[in-house]
Amino acid sequence: MRIALVSALAACSSAASAQPIEERAESAHSEPFYPSPWMNSKAIGWEDAYVKAKDFVSQLTLLEKVNLTTGVGWQSEQCVGQVGSIPRMGLRGLCLQDSPLGVRFADYVSAFPSGQTVAASFDRSLMYQRGKAMGQEHKDKGVNVLLGPSAGPLGRHPEGGRNWEGFAADPWLSGVGLAETVKGIQSTGVIACAKHYIVNEQEHFRQGGPNVSDAISSNVDDKTMHELYLWPFVDAVRAGVGSFMCSYNQINNSYGCQNSKLLNGILKSELGFQGFVMSDWAAQHSGVSSAVAGLDMTMPGDVAFNDGKSYWGANMTLAVINGTLPEYRLDDMAMRIMAAFFKMGNEIEQPPINFDSWTKDTQGPMHYYAKQGNQQINWHVNVQRDHRNLIRDVAAKSTVLLKNTKNALPLKSPKFLAVIGEDAGPSPKGPNGCADRGCNSGTLAMGWGSGTADFPYLITPLEALNAKTADEGTRLESVLDNYAWASTKALVSQADVTALVFVNADSGEGYITVDGNEGDRTNLTLWGSGDQLIKNVSSICNNTIVVIHSTGPTVVTEWYDSPNVTAILWAGLPGQESGRSIVDVLYGKVNPAARTPFTWGAKREDYGVDIIYKPNNGAGAPQQDFTEGVMIDYRYFDYKNITPIFEFGFGLSYTTFEYSDIKVEKSGAGKYKPTEGKTTEAPKFGNFSTDLNDYAFPSEKFSYVPYYIYPYLNNTSSAAEASQDPHYGKTAAEFLPPNAVASEAQPLAAAGPAASDEPGGNRQLWDVMQTVTATIKNTGSIVGEEVPQLYVSLGGPQDPPVQLRGFERIRIEPGQSAEFRATLTRRDLSNWDVASQNWVISEHAKTVHVGPSSRKLVLSAPLEF
């Protein structure tokens, strides 16, 4: 027997990339931050979890702690990620499973609308309910950690392949989506995972690529990081999220999963995050250095999928024995994992995992890749409950009405409907016919990649329209081939026709390429010649209604203002109830109130940034400089005075609303005080044996499974390998970064929480500074919901003209009024000061605005302090 090892000290002399920083003298650089902060026993909301975790972890052996922090390897057990079990304590291996819109790789589960879609609802309650329902389904399948929600990518590039997995191209809205989803998921006992941390804004080169040495480096300044990309993740920490996933890319030329500044300095110190950080799958690039830089769990455990080697596992065991890694750091990793587990109300005895990610067969190998351990692995448990009703409701209330002229909508028993376009109908391959939805065939209801789930069914628009029109006696005919122009022309040329044209634009994760789109979209046009299809139909039919299913904005410039295009709807990625939800909106069962969570530009160049599609640094890591700072999406359009087609936050209704009577009330919040003081010393749980014989594989207890990652040493060779390592026999301080293994009390971050505060930063950042109210009246004839939005102008030359800082979705009866109320916290009104490393309210004059979109701010008032 031979347990494969890699060097326990791999890349431990640098917390940045494997490429020496000396070779990048002119490149962005991430400052080191050590040691990795240990848990705070007094952190509000984590006190009981800390006590339970300490009691549990203090009883563990070194091998058991390593098992808890190291994945068992890709396809080595049932879930996409599992850590080793601790049988002596009754803890089965924790199950980590995709995705942020449903249980991936499982049967009898629901396919929910995407995060970006629910963000368009501007409805906190729907975001929470969606999260809770997804948490319930994961819980019922035996999952412990749901790998979502996502706020990375945020949406810097409109072509970004995975924008749809997140929420919005705005940090405030994304923060609300992230926090509400976290709360919903964790209300079920499942640990949520905020990902991908951080500035993971494109798929190209996220893991390197042909003739490229390293993954892309997102080069971001400190101010931009805090005011834009970090913002939603702060909200996740405040919501009590149990775990974070670090990203594949580099940040300022330091890999995300060993970037000590971001993991130790910002996440665990400045934000006071008490949960655990896991690597994205195979995003770990080193052993001890990633541990001291703040990584707590490696996923899926092997260096490369199915290679049987691990940076941790046996190497972690050896690193602690020989003094390379201080035991307190391993203790803290285990503590963070178990504290998150206990915080969700979990007991040690967990229900069994009742599905298998690698096969739908009832019987099969428990260790799929090794083909060992044949037994029942799938119980085919139906966990859908009544979630279909929620999915339909979310999808309908997240559909944005972008245009509506000539009373085109809602439909009122039309005489003749012509349904046009492939996107209206089913895929010939079936809804799950392409692995991870890696094709674009039939109606589009989710993007592709690891952020997917299998459809239990998919109601297409045509199917739902057929049912509706059959009940009403409406004639309906369809042409589902985008290129069958002769048939389409013959159909839409007839009298009394209303044409419904369904079109789409897809994207996804970079390991799948669809129609030349390597995750990221190559352009912003509609797929399948959708733009030409719309122009062709509308050139003949004077009542053409367009429905777009897409993963982000498309360029609609050539046809949106045609008088024959009477209505346009963006339905996002609606999930399994796609057809019924769009019919609910088309026929007025749901009066639309959703708002677009991104800007629709007139042309691609209007966004000011673009994907790096080709290497720009020779064979070195591609360099992506975020020189635009905080000016992305609507902020950039406003800053450059570029007129969009549809602005961020825009959306119409079947009724009308009037805004009036804005009022601002100043609160009595005191003066901001930076946090002072120190942490406790690193807790130490006791000694351990340094005799390698105590860590040998226990072949007398169980058989070795090939490729499985164990914490045990190969007793016949590990000692020799360790002695051959150039660092063997040296102290950690001789080759690790300064202070990396320090255990004495450390200074608290000035912008961070005090010892007895809630995680998420200095508690005074959430002091209410101003309360804003306005009156909203429904001036139409039917009941409707309106989404008043609050924006602030911070007044500085580097500030966006306006920034979203509040919203509410309000139901108002016709002729009636309602009060819109929103609070502005100190954080909402502050800028990040690089010099003091803290938040400050500048002396620039500030204004608050209220209106139905970012470009229609009908009410304004000055802010006084």
Side-chain angles (χ1 to χ4, degrees):
M1 180 190 71
R2 176 76 168 86
I3 300 175
L5 298 176
V6 294
S7 172
L9 310 176
C12 67
S13 60
S14 171
S17 165
Q19 183 178 352
I21 196 67
E22 291 79 11
E23 297 179 16
R24 301 177 173 188
E26 302 301 319
S27 299
H29 173 61
S30 186
E31 296 297 324
F33 188 102
Y34 296 98
S36 185
W38 38 89
M39 285 194 72
N40 171 20
S41 64
K42 298 180 180 180
I44 293 177
W46 290 81
E47 305 97 327
D48 292 343
Y50 181 94
V51 172
K52 292 178 180 178
K54 184 175 181 180
D55 178 66
F56 183 85
V57 174
S58 63
Q59 300 179 60
L60 301 185
T61 67
L62 174 59
L63 290 169
E64 289 168 338
K65 295 172 193 173
V66 171
N67 229 22
L68 189 59
T69 61
T70 305
V72 299
W74 182 246
Q75 298 182 322
S76 283
E77 290 204 35
Q78 292 164 277
C79 304
V80 296
Q82 277 182 254
V83 293
S85 62
I86 306 177
R88 183 179 65 87
M89 300 291 286
L91 182 69
R92 68 158 170 79
L94 300 181
C95 170
L96 293 74
Q97 194 71 14
D98 296 309
S99 78
L101 59 65
V103 188
R104 186 186 182 203
F105 291 151
D107 53 13
Y108 301 99
V109 300
S110 301
F112 290 83
S114 71
Q116 184 186 66
T117 303
V118 73
S121 74
F122 277 65
D123 190 320
R124 291 173 174 83
S125 176
L126 290 180
M127 296 172 191
Y128 176 87
Q129 291 176 57
R130 172 180 171 272
K132 182 177 180 179
M134 293 192 300
Q136 288 171 333
E137 296 200 9
H138 279 80
K139 185 73 171 180
D140 291 346
K141 283 292 185 179
V143 175
N144 300 105
V145 183
L146 189 164
L147 301 175
S150 173
L154 180 66
R156 177 182 189 249
H157 312 106
E159 309 93 344
R162 301 181 76 176
N163 291 355
W164 57 274
E165 292 186 44
F167 294 98
D170 174 81
W172 209 93
L173 177 55
S174 287
V176 172
L178 206 64
E180 293 298 332
T181 307
V182 164
K183 293 174 187 175
I185 290 169
Q186 295 190 164
S187 71
T188 69
V190 173
I191 302 168
C193 176
K195 66 179 189 181
H196 305 84
Y197 184 73
I198 193 169
V199 286
N200 177 47
E201 294 295 313
Q202 69 169 61
E203 290 301 286
H204 281 73
F205 308 114
R206 65 178 186 155
Q207 291 178 284
N211 303 314
V212 172
S213 62
D214 285 306
I216 191 170
S217 178
S218 299
N219 302 325
V220 186
D221 67 89
D222 192 34
K223 180 179 172 69
T224 298
M225 182 66 77
H226 280 82
E227 294 185 7
L228 189 64
Y229 296 101
L230 184 67
W231 189 284
F233 289 110
V234 175
D235 290 325
V237 175
R238 286 281 294 182
V241 71
S243 65
F244 264 66
M245 182 190 293
C246 50
S247 55
Y248 284 118
N249 57 294
Q250 299 185 77
I251 303 94
N252 297 326
N253 290 299
S254 176
Y255 273 107
C257 290
Q258 60 189 55
N259 188 308
S260 64
K261 171 65 175 178
L262 291 169
L263 300 183
N264 291 340
I266 293 181
L267 182 58
K268 292 184 176 180
S269 179
E270 183 185 314
L271 301 187
F273 174 59
Q274 299 298 301
F276 65 96
V277 178
M278 72 180 76
S279 69
D280 202 340
W281 271 230
Q284 185 184 23
H285 292 268
S286 65
V288 171
S289 66
S290 61
V292 297
L295 185 66
D296 301 303
M297 178 187 288
T298 176
M299 279 290 137
D302 30 21
V303 173
F305 288 178
N306 306 128
D307 70 355
K309 300 178 180 180
S310 180
Y311 286 116
W312 285 4
N315 280 305
M316 180 76 82
T317 303
L318 189 60
V320 175
I321 292 170
N322 69 18
T324 304
L325 181 71
E327 188 185 15
Y328 82 77
R329 175 77 268 262
L330 178 59
D331 288 341
D332 186 62
M333 295 178 198
M335 279 281 293
R336 288 173 174 275
I337 294 167
M338 292 310 300
F341 175 85
F342 288 125
K343 189 179 190 296
M344 307 310 148
N346 290 306
E347 301 293 337
I348 291 298
E349 185 175 346
Q350 287 288 290
I353 301 161
N354 58 45
F355 73 103
D356 191 274
S357 295
W358 321 117
T359 177
K360 296 296 193 301
D361 294 343
T362 303
Q363 300 288 135
M366 175 62 68
H367 310 295
Y368 182 82
Y369 190 72
K371 305 303 180 190
Q372 290 190 9
N374 287 329
Q375 62 184 75
Q376 183 171 352
I377 53 175
N378 276 308
W379 280 259
H380 312 293
V381 178
N382 190 330
V383 301
Q384 299 172 83
R385 306 190 186 197
D386 60 351
H387 293 156
R388 64 187 181 280
N389 297 323
L390 173 64
I391 291 168
R392 178 176 179 173
D393 192 40
V394 169
K397 290 181 177 177
S398 301
T399 298
V400 184
L401 180 62
L402 295 170
K403 181 180 181 180
N404 191 24
T405 60
K406 302 179 183 179
N407 296 314
L409 293 176
L411 297 174
K412 299 178 180 67
S413 299
K415 186 175 183 179
F416 176 17
L417 283 181
V419 179
I420 308 298
E422 178 182 313
D423 185 69
S427 168
K429 301 176 182 179
N432 301 315
C434 298
D436 289 337
R437 313 296 80 78
C439 60
N440 189 45
S441 178
T443 196
L444 180 65
M446 69 173 69
W448 73 75
S450 65
T452 58
D454 284 359
F455 289 102
Y457 60 82
L458 176 55
I459 304 296
T460 68
L462 179 59
E463 182 180 357
L465 284 164
N466 270 323
K468 180 68 175 178
T469 54
D471 289 340
E472 295 194 345
T474 295
R475 174 188 170 193
L476 186 150
E477 293 187 38
S478 62
V479 177
L480 302 183
D481 185 339
N482 286 13
Y483 300 98
W485 176 234
S487 299
T488 299
K489 182 179 181 181
L491 180 59
V492 301
S493 297
Q494 299 179 50
D496 302 316
V497 66
T498 295
L500 293 175
V501 183
F502 287 83
V503 289
N504 67 41
D506 203 356
S507 69
E509 194 167 357
Y511 68 90
I512 296 175
T513 298
V514 179
D515 293 343
N517 297 268
E518 192 177 329
D520 305 309
R521 287 187 281 165
T522 58
N523 53 53
L524 294 180
T525 60
L526 292 166
W527 289 28
S529 296
D531 296 292
Q532 189 61 50
L533 179 65
I534 295 167
K535 289 190 288 184
N536 287 347
V537 172
S538 61
S539 70
I540 296 172
C541 177
N542 65 3
N543 191 15
T544 299
I545 298 169
V546 177
V547 178
I548 303 172
H549 291 117
S550 73
T551 58
T554 65
V555 173
V556 300
T557 306
E558 294 182 355
W559 53 265
Y560 85 98
D561 59 350
S562 165
N564 287 350
V565 175
T566 54
I568 305 170
L569 300 108
W570 180 75
L573 301 175
Q576 68 193 45
E577 289 283 335
S578 174
R580 282 197 275 247
S581 65
I582 196 64
V583 167
D584 286 345
V585 176
L586 288 170
Y587 280 82
K589 180 180 180 181
V590 171
N591 186 348
R595 300 299 202 260
T596 175
F598 44 73
T599 299
W600 299 68
K603 56 184 183 297
R604 180 177 185 167
E605 294 75 18
D606 285 351
Y607 292 89
V609 293
D610 211 339
I611 301 287
I612 295 177
Y613 294 99
K614 296 181 180 180
N616 66 354
N617 190 30
Q623 300 291 305
Q624 188 176 53
D625 297 326
F626 288 43
T627 55
E628 74 287 347
V630 299
M631 307 298 182
I632 68 168
D633 198 76
Y634 74 90
R635 299 161 172 236
Y636 181 81
F637 279 75
D638 293 348
Y639 184 67
K640 293 291 187 179
N641 198 26
I642 299 170
T643 301
I645 301 296
F646 303 116
E647 69 269 21
F648 174 88
F650 175 79
L652 301 174
S653 169
Y654 296 151
T655 187
T656 56
F657 298 92
E658 180 181 87
Y659 287 61
S660 64
D661 197 25
I662 187 171
K663 294 179 181 177
V664 180
E665 181 180 350
K666 185 173 71 170
S667 73
K671 184 179 180 182
Y672 181 77
K673 296 180 180 179
T675 298
E676 298 177 343
K678 289 189 174 184
T679 68
T680 61
E681 294 182 355
K684 298 178 174 62
F685 292 164
N687 296 324
F688 54 92
S689 170
T690 57
D691 185 346
L692 292 179
N693 292 306
D694 293 338
Y695 303 97
F697 188 91
S699 55
E700 72 282 359
K701 293 184 179 180
F702 52 84
S703 300
Y704 172 74
V705 176
Y707 307 103
Y708 198 94
I709 306 301
Y710 294 100
Y712 306 105
L713 307 182
N714 180 345
N715 200 43
T716 61
S717 63
S718 295
E721 289 184 0
S723 64
Q724 293 169 7
D725 193 292
H727 298 300
Y728 186 72
K730 297 182 180 180
T731 64
E734 292 182 77
F735 56 86
L736 286 176
N739 217 38
V741 297
S743 60
E744 63 271 15
Q746 299 293 312
L748 294 171
S756 299
D757 284 346
E758 185 177 357
N762 190 307
R763 62 178 174 80
Q764 298 163 93
L765 293 172
W766 278 266
D767 288 344
V768 173
M769 304 294 288
Q770 313 274 353
T771 299
V772 181
T773 58
T775 300
I776 316 298
K777 182 178 182 180
N778 183 344
T779 55
S781 59
I782 61 173
V783 64
E785 294 178 327
E786 177 66 342
V787 182
Q789 300 157 49
L790 182 152
Y791 293 79
V792 297
S793 301
L794 295 182
Q798 296 181 349
D799 293 319
V802 296
Q803 303 179 67
L804 180 69
R805 288 294 186 264
F807 62 81
E808 186 179 356
R809 184 161 176 152
I810 307 172
R811 177 183 173 89
I812 310 176
E813 296 290 332
Q816 299 299 306
S817 297
E819 182 185 71
F820 166 62
R821 175 178 292 266
T823 58
L824 288 169
T825 65
R826 191 187 307 273
R827 177 186 181 224
D828 290 329
L829 300 173
S830 296
N831 292 103
W832 179 254
D833 181 62
V834 175
S836 66
Q837 287 294 286
N838 217 325
W839 293 94
V840 298
I841 296 179
S842 71
E843 296 181 356
H844 300 291
K846 295 171 175 43
T847 308
V848 65
H849 312 272
V850 174
S853 76
S854 64
R855 282 279 175 114
K856 192 176 181 182
L857 299 172
V858 294
L859 304 176
S860 297
L863 291 176
E864 297 180 0
F865 295 90

